Amino acid sequence: MRLSTSTISTLLCFSFQLNTQASPTPYSLPANVSQHLPLPLPVQVIHQFPPGTWLENLAVQSSGDILVTLLTSPDIYQIDPSQQRAPLLIHSFTPYLGLLGITELQPNIFYLAAGNASYTALDSPGTWAIFELDLTQGATAPRVTKIADFPNAHLLNGLTTLSVSSGTLLVADSLAGVVYRLDTRTGQSAIVIDDPSLKGYPGINSSTTTPNLGINGIKIRHGSLYFTNSALAQLVRIPIHADGTPRGPAVVLSRDVSFPDDFVLDHEGNAFVAEIGVNNLALVRLGNGGAKTVLAGAPLEDPGVLAGPTAVEFGRGRAERRRLYITTSGGLASGLANRTLGGTLSRVEVGGTGWF
Ligand SMILES: *[C@@H]1O[C@H](CO)[C@@H](O)[C@H](O)[C@H]1NC(C)=O
Ligand SMILES: *[C@@H]1O[C@H](CO)[C@@H](O)[C@H](O)[C@H]1NC(C)=O
Ligand SMILES: *[C@@H]1O[C@H](CO)[C@@H](O)[C@H](O)[C@H]1NC(C)=O
Ligand SMILES: *[C@@H]1O[C@H](CO)[C@@H](O)[C@H](O)[C@H]1NC(C)=O
């Protein structure tokens, strides 16, 4: 969840504190976006990693630099979106095999999930930890601290900030189908949401090689947790208390997101969803019955354009507010393995002449 202080003051029904150190207010799209956008929106590759590299998630720093986590190695890179500096390997979290979700809690203090998952063997029980990555001294002087092990976790995936003031995060386990709250100050964690809406297909053993991922990306908005359920192709909202526990039933907002990975929300309740299974970026209008428009990638154009999109975030900084940054897997698990694309960090301008 990324909101500015000024935005928070406008969220009248919002009852608890969020990440106040995050990106500026995103814009909202006109209601008839699909009629006025020249679709597909162009996808600009900022950086492409070598073939076989799966980029899994991203966070945007206040400087505008972008942190990307890799699943195929335990590496986090900083990428300058203006491409004036080469990507910087900030840290390798050996001996973990890969990194997943990442969230900022305090300015330039990030938390990320590390574990022994690979895209061919996602279920890796007992290998999971959440680390703190403190970049307050700069990306060349990272300070890394393990916050907690998760001995019962199967696949820690999406992360989001629950409360800046109490230093808490929510962490999704995609295979167990639960959400943990983690207190980053004490390292204590507890399952706070365990609901059928978080699980994958019922009755399928998630330790088989077929990924049966339930809850995946998570964001908090207006006192609710929003999440994708990958196997069920859903975008779901569940109202939560300040401690992360549910305060009402889950509501399915869309049943039409095709094997979704992570996503981002704008301030009008539009969700931009990385549809990893079908190689595109989709817009889902939550206020319009979950109507979906594919903005870029397949089937509008070659699936290699957005091969396996994994996560989406808005840029930060005035010139960046209409830009989405997207990580991709290179299509390793999206039917493109034959094409040996490298995972990318790409940009899509979702603003347009005459919209504002
Ligand atoms: C569609 O959006 C344009 C602005 O881009 C606006 O002028 C027009 O009235 C809208 N049409 C409908 C049917 O909402
Ligand atoms: C993860 O895998 C590496 C390499 O196989 C191994 O050294 C390490 O102990 C594993 N970590 C855990 C927590 O199981
Ligand atoms: C899932 O499959 C594994 C491997 O066959 C087995 O050890 C495990 O007990 C199964 N779990 C469930 C819940 O059926
Ligand atoms: C994958 O590559 C192999 C070897 O180059 C080729 O024979 C096969 O047709 C390709 N498959 C697809 C789906 O493109």
Side-chain angles (χ1 to χ4, degrees):
M1 184 62 198
R2 307 197 170 278
L3 291 176
S4 67
T5 308
S6 61
T7 300
I8 285 175
S9 66
T10 69
L11 299 177
L12 301 177
C13 61
F14 199 59
S15 58
F16 56 92
Q17 193 173 357
L18 284 180
N19 185 352
T20 56
Q21 307 298 336
S23 60
T25 308
Y27 61 92
S28 62
L29 294 168
N32 55 8
V33 58
S34 61
Q35 295 161 36
H36 291 272
L37 279 173
L39 297 177
L41 299 181
V43 176
Q44 182 190 353
V45 175
I46 310 259
H47 185 75
Q48 184 156 31
F49 285 77
T53 310
W54 177 307
L55 275 61
E56 170 61 18
N57 218 304
L58 75 163
V60 185
Q61 295 185 263
S62 52
S63 63
D65 291 316
I66 297 171
L67 306 177
V68 300
T69 62
L70 272 53
L71 181 63
T72 41
S73 59
D75 300 332
I76 183 164
Y77 284 83
Q78 183 193 55
I79 299 178
D80 169 11
S82 70
Q83 297 167 278
Q84 287 168 5
R85 284 176 285 116
L88 171 70
L89 174 60
I90 296 176
H91 189 74
S92 290
F93 289 78
T94 51
Y96 296 87
L97 298 185
L99 307 180
L100 286 95
I102 179 168
T103 189
E104 187 177 27
L105 180 61
Q106 297 288 348
N108 281 313
I109 300 181
F110 296 86
Y111 295 83
L112 53 86
N116 272 4
S118 69
Y119 70 91
T120 52
L122 288 167
D123 195 2
S124 38
T127 69
W128 294 95
I130 300 290
F131 282 86
E132 179 181 276
L133 178 69
D134 180 340
L135 300 181
T136 54
Q137 305 302 310
T140 55
R143 289 183 293 192
V144 173
T145 310
K146 190 200 275 184
I147 300 298
D149 287 311
F150 283 69
N152 298 316
H154 286 254
L155 178 63
L156 295 187
N157 199 335
L159 263 64
T160 198
T161 295
L162 176 63
S163 166
V164 172
S165 60
S166 54
T168 51
L169 313 177
L170 294 183
V171 183
D173 184 331
S174 294
L175 289 173
V178 298
V179 171
Y180 289 89
R181 180 188 60 236
L182 172 65
D183 184 331
T184 61
R185 295 173 188 165
T186 65
Q188 291 188 329
S189 64
I191 290 174
V192 288
I193 312 179
D194 184 356
D195 184 82
S197 63
L198 280 58
K199 316 291 179 185
Y201 288 121
I204 294 184
N205 186 339
S206 63
S207 71
T208 62
T209 51
T210 304
N212 188 23
L213 307 183
I215 185 170
N216 195 322
I218 59 175
K219 306 281 167 168
I220 296 169
R221 170 67 52 87
H222 295 196
S224 287
L225 181 71
Y226 290 75
F227 61 92
T228 45
N229 182 314
S230 298
L232 301 186
Q234 293 177 352
L235 191 59
V236 186
R237 178 181 66 218
I238 189 163
I240 57 172
H241 294 291
D243 66 359
T245 56
R247 58 178 173 79
V251 176
V252 178
L253 304 167
S254 169
R255 300 176 189 277
D256 185 31
V257 278
S258 304
F259 209 90
D261 199 335
D262 214 329
F263 69 102
V264 69
L265 297 171
D266 74 5
H267 283 262
E268 297 296 318
N270 298 305
F272 298 86
V273 184
E275 291 190 312
I276 183 171
V278 291
N279 304 302
N280 68 40
L281 172 69
L283 164 67
V284 178
R285 290 185 175 290
L286 304 182
N288 187 16
K292 185 174 95 172
T293 304
V294 174
L295 298 179
L300 305 174
E301 54 194 330
D302 187 303
V305 170
L306 270 176
T310 50
V312 191
E313 288 291 342
F314 283 100
R316 287 173 72 170
R318 226 180 154 69
E320 296 283 308
R321 291 167 57 174
R322 299 172 187 177
R323 292 176 173 167
L324 289 176
Y325 288 91
I326 306 167
T327 46
T328 74
S329 69
L332 285 172
S334 319
L336 294 172
N338 237 20
R339 294 179 47 187
T340 61
L341 300 176
T344 59
L345 175 69
S346 293
R347 174 164 56 210
V348 171
E349 305 268 352
V350 284
T353 309
W355 284 20
F356 302 98

